[in-house]
Amino acid sequence: MSALEAVLLTIITASTPLLLAAVGELVTERSGVLNLGVEGMMIMGAVTGFAAAYTTGSAAVGVMAAIGTGIAMALLFAFLTQTLAANQMATGLALTLFGIGLSGLVGKPFTGLPGVKLGAVHVPGLSGLPLVGPVLFGQDLLVYASVAITVFVAWMFSRTRLGLVIRAVGTNHHSAHALGYDVAAVRYGCIAFGGACAGLAGGYLSLVYTPQWIENMTAGRGWIALALVVFATWSPNRVAVGAYLFGAVWIMGLYAQGIGVTIPPQFLASLPYLVTIGALLAISGNRILTKVNTPACIGQTFVPDR
């Protein structure tokens, strides 16, 4: 029972940053914007979150710093792509490279220092239940926040006018503009939301998952989050399932090494990325599902008629 509990807890902690980053990117892409800078926003959120928490001694300050940094990076991307009409793919790649390089510079003084861990929230009377208690009622706030954000995004797209407007902008920005919607403003908001989630995902890595700063500690999770959005065909519910599936693959590879499975560790370390490729190949085979859910204007630059 204790071994199963440990495995489930580690799967949840491994899946949470993927879920946060993927849900934020899903909202961004549903508005018609492809932001390949998720990895850069995550790594900057991780380093600034750790630095703020270490400097102030407060994990809450670190969380806010991570969110603020993610939003700042996202707004830089938004300014370049929405205001200056720069190419979205090239700008996103540049944002990732910029974030990785800048994080190494900012984080150099904090390498090897002990971190400030965000504590878990225990529900009296429920946290002590066998297996279910620690798994469901003994997590940190960011785990519950990731679930709440996913539920909110799913509800927003299916039940609210705002979700309908975002989908309209992503499906046909010219028609949305003709109806009087400010396409740039909608996309600015969605990009900022995606940046906040990516920064929070990075902060989770340095404040909860591994409470310390390690250079390149995101280890490609931003790219997996991008793939998750396609894997889920832009559905928040399927993003949640995919995030926990990928987190389980990530942890089971490490667990197999721990119990002495005679498989090359290099292969086990590559499992999450192999599963990502396999999932994308499987989804690409269902062209009807992909075509129905793919935002028609994704990656396209919009310049309103003047």
Side-chain angles (χ1 to χ4, degrees):
M1 184 70 73
S2 60
L4 177 60
E5 179 183 305
V7 170
L8 291 176
L9 288 173
T10 50
I11 287 175
I12 291 173
T13 55
S15 305
T16 297
L18 296 176
L19 179 58
L20 285 168
V23 167
E25 177 62 16
L26 182 145
V27 173
T28 301
E29 292 190 13
R30 289 297 289 265
S31 72
V33 177
L34 177 62
N35 185 358
L36 299 181
V38 177
E39 182 83 3
M41 294 186 293
M42 281 184 69
I43 194 69
M44 284 301 297
V47 67
T48 55
F50 179 86
Y54 179 83
T55 303
T56 63
S58 171
V61 173
V63 169
M64 298 307 297
I67 294 173
T69 302
I71 293 175
M73 294 279 288
L75 290 178
L76 172 62
F77 172 85
F79 175 73
L80 293 172
T81 58
Q82 304 306 307
T83 302
L84 301 183
N87 181 275
Q88 293 179 15
M89 287 183 285
T91 306
L93 290 172
L95 189 68
T96 288
L97 296 175
F98 171 70
I100 292 173
L102 183 60
S103 66
L105 177 64
V106 173
K108 188 174 182 180
F110 300 98
T111 303
L113 297 178
V116 180
K117 185 179 175 73
L118 184 66
V121 178
H122 296 283
V123 181
L126 296 177
S127 298
L129 294 174
L131 186 62
V132 177
V135 172
L136 297 181
F137 305 107
Q139 299 291 340
D140 58 89
L141 280 174
L142 298 189
V143 171
Y144 300 123
S146 67
V147 176
I149 291 171
T150 305
V151 172
F152 168 76
V153 169
W155 171 78
M156 178 187 70
F157 279 126
S158 62
R159 300 289 182 180
T160 69
R161 180 182 178 86
L162 175 60
L164 183 62
V165 170
I166 293 173
R167 288 160 51 200
V169 169
T171 301
N172 192 322
H173 46 217
H174 294 293
S175 296
H177 176 68
L179 290 172
Y181 296 114
D182 191 333
V183 174
V186 171
R187 288 181 170 175
Y188 258 91
C190 292
I191 293 169
F193 178 83
C197 290
L200 186 59
Y204 185 88
L205 290 174
S206 61
L207 296 173
V208 179
Y209 189 71
T210 305
Q212 58 181 317
W213 164 247
I214 303 171
E215 192 169 353
N216 294 326
M217 70 185 304
T218 50
R221 287 177 174 85
W223 299 111
I224 292 180
L226 282 163
L228 267 175
V229 178
V230 181
F231 167 77
T233 58
W234 292 270
S235 166
N237 298 326
R238 287 193 287 269
V239 160
V241 173
Y244 282 97
L245 172 63
F246 279 63
V249 171
W250 203 303
I251 291 303
M252 294 313 293
L254 298 176
Y255 184 72
Q257 294 182 38
I259 62 177
V261 176
T262 56
I263 299 176
Q266 294 82 1
F267 174 76
L268 293 175
S270 67
L271 269 179
Y273 309 102
L274 293 176
V275 171
T276 301
I277 295 172
L280 292 176
L281 289 174
I283 290 299
S284 64
N286 191 336
R287 295 189 176 183
I288 296 177
L289 180 64
T290 304
K291 187 175 181 180
V292 167
N293 292 297
T294 303
C297 292
I298 189 168
Q300 298 180 16
T301 301
F302 173 75
V303 179
D305 296 330
R306 292 180 174 85

